[in-house]
Amino acid sequence: MAQLDESRTLFDARHLRWADPNGMVGLLVAGVVAGKKQGTLPRLEPPESADVTGYLSRMAFFEAARGVFDCDPPARRPPARDSDVLLEITPITANADVHEVIDRVQSKAGSILTSKLGYPATAVVQFSVILSEVCQNIIEHAEAPGWVAAQSYNWARRLGRNVVVISVMDVGRGFRGSLGDEHSARYGDRWGDTTALEAAFLHGLTRFPDSGRGQGIQQIRRQVRRWDGAITIRSGTARIGQVPEWDDQPPLSDGLEPFPGAQISIVLPAKAGE
Amino acid sequence: MTEGMDRIAIDVGQVLQRTVTSLYSNLVTRPTGRAVRMAIETRLQDAGERSISLIDLSEVVILDFSCADEVVARLLERSHESPTHEAFFVFRGVHEPHRDQIQTVLERRGLAAVAETRKDVFELLGQRSPAELRAWGLLEQRGLITTDEVDSLEDADDRAGLVRLVERRLAFRSPHTDRIHALSQLAKHLL
């Protein structure tokens, strides 16, 4: 990343060799933040590697980047082929977007979850429910736009298994901002990004007084645990997670670089032996 | 009408398509669930002072927690608040993919509901005590229980369980005969 002039940032991706959904969606978030700060679209230099550019195109990165970056996308999108793209980068701004995501993901999710992860055919329902709840989290709590993407990989070196990675990010007010009005008083001086994440992630608190609300994250955690997966949420300067045995991330980190809004990352591994 | 009860059958899949948009095939997002619940409540407004409704989820493919909360738990909770209308519900098509969501939202609000989980198999889902569950199982087996039969139950907990089922509208006590009916039997002709 470099400063083009006094008021414009350059995101130089020319030497990019690989990107996962978290990286691509994170790049969009960074672009939005830079654009807001400077009042002008930052410049993005696309990767030189045809493989990487082709992958970004298949993930619909360049469509999503319109309005975020000043960028010259590749001349044409490579022809569609059977890929491991489960869900292209999709903007989430309204409930209709959530419906579209759930409708779109059905056929592909079914085949990827069964063939790559060895999950039963019915897992597509629980997977869709997870996607629905994380996307709604953007609309109900961020009050700002966000994106979702999902992809399957072979984590040969790290895990020796296939995984599906779901990434959801928004540029909203974060968990501390969302919960502050309702819950900050009872935490007093302890209120901050970490306590806000703990309140939502561990205790299911929301800004809504209705006892029926706040189930989304709790139920996502439960389902991810059943599949021996990992889920982390980063917001502000903190990150909290439910970490399975195969992952060495700490369950709680603080003092990180501030992250605007929230990032939810879910990793679902193939069943052992698949 | 049976026992002065209006019987209403509601296909949630159809309500979803008519209420929200014909483009949506899945019951996801809270606003969608709220719109479907309100459409169901509008249908119930036309009923008399007492009704039994069969809420059919068979055609719903994906049901998320937000919609389960609105279309099942909130529907039940709000119906209990009505001072003029006594509504009873049986949920149909609560197959394995929907079961966890419905069980969770009912427990969260301290509610229970009668649901057909497989063809002709009914279960009491949600929050229920062991005594309520035993009493419900007995009632479900018999279809109805007379006052004499209630009095002949040896276990006081089972008798109390039956009373609680009636109070929670998980069973119906006829004001004419005092007999207690299983909701699955009352909804039989709607299935």
Side-chain angles (χ1 to χ4, degrees), chain A residues 40-125:
Chain A
T40 183
L41 294 187
R43 173 83 188 153
L44 173 69
E45 285 296 337
E48 288 173 348
S49 158
D51 283 350
V52 178
T53 307
Y55 172 57
L56 293 184
S57 295
R58 287 199 300 282
M59 284 296 283
F61 174 82
F62 293 107
E63 281 97 322
R66 247 182 253 139
V68 175
F69 291 108
D70 167 24
C71 170
D72 303 318
R76 63 185 179 83
R77 195 170 170 170
R81 62 184 174 91
D82 186 26
S83 77
D84 294 338
V85 174
L86 211 165
L87 178 67
E88 295 88 351
I89 297 172
T90 307
I92 303 293
T93 56
N95 283 292
D97 298 325
V98 184
H99 277 277
E100 200 189 312
V101 163
I102 301 305
D103 284 353
R104 193 166 4 127
V105 87
Q106 293 303 303
S107 57
K108 264 199 158 170
S111 62
I112 287 180
L113 292 174
T114 51
S115 68
K116 303 271 181 186
L117 303 191
Y119 291 4
T122 51
V124 69
V125 174

Side-chain angles (χ1 to χ4, degrees), chain A residues 95-100 102-103 106 122 124-126 128-129 132-133 136 140 204 210-216 218-220 222-223 226, chain B residues 16 20 23-32 34 61-67 69-70 74 77 96-98 100-101 104-105 108-109:
Chain A
N95 283 292
D97 298 325
V98 184
H99 277 277
E100 200 189 312
I102 301 305
D103 284 353
Q106 293 303 303
T122 51
V124 69
V125 174
Q126 301 311 329
S128 302
V129 170
S132 170
E133 298 293 345
Q136 286 180 75
E140 295 203 349
D210 183 349
S211 67
R213 307 296 288 264
Q215 300 176 61
Q218 301 303 306
Q219 301 313 322
I220 292 168
R222 201 166 58 143
Q223 187 58 52
R226 282 178 189 156
Chain B
L16 172 67
V20 188
L23 297 173
Y24 296 164
S25 53
N26 296 305
L27 202 46
V28 296
T29 82
R30 191 164 289 274
T32 299
R34 193 178 298 133
V61 180
I62 308 290
L63 173 74
D64 71 7
F65 288 96
S66 307
C67 278
D69 188 46
E70 288 289 340
R74 288 275 290 153
E77 195 172 66
E96 203 53 40
H98 300 331
D100 192 33
Q101 292 89 304
T104 300
V105 298
R108 180 108 175 183
R109 290 187 187 271

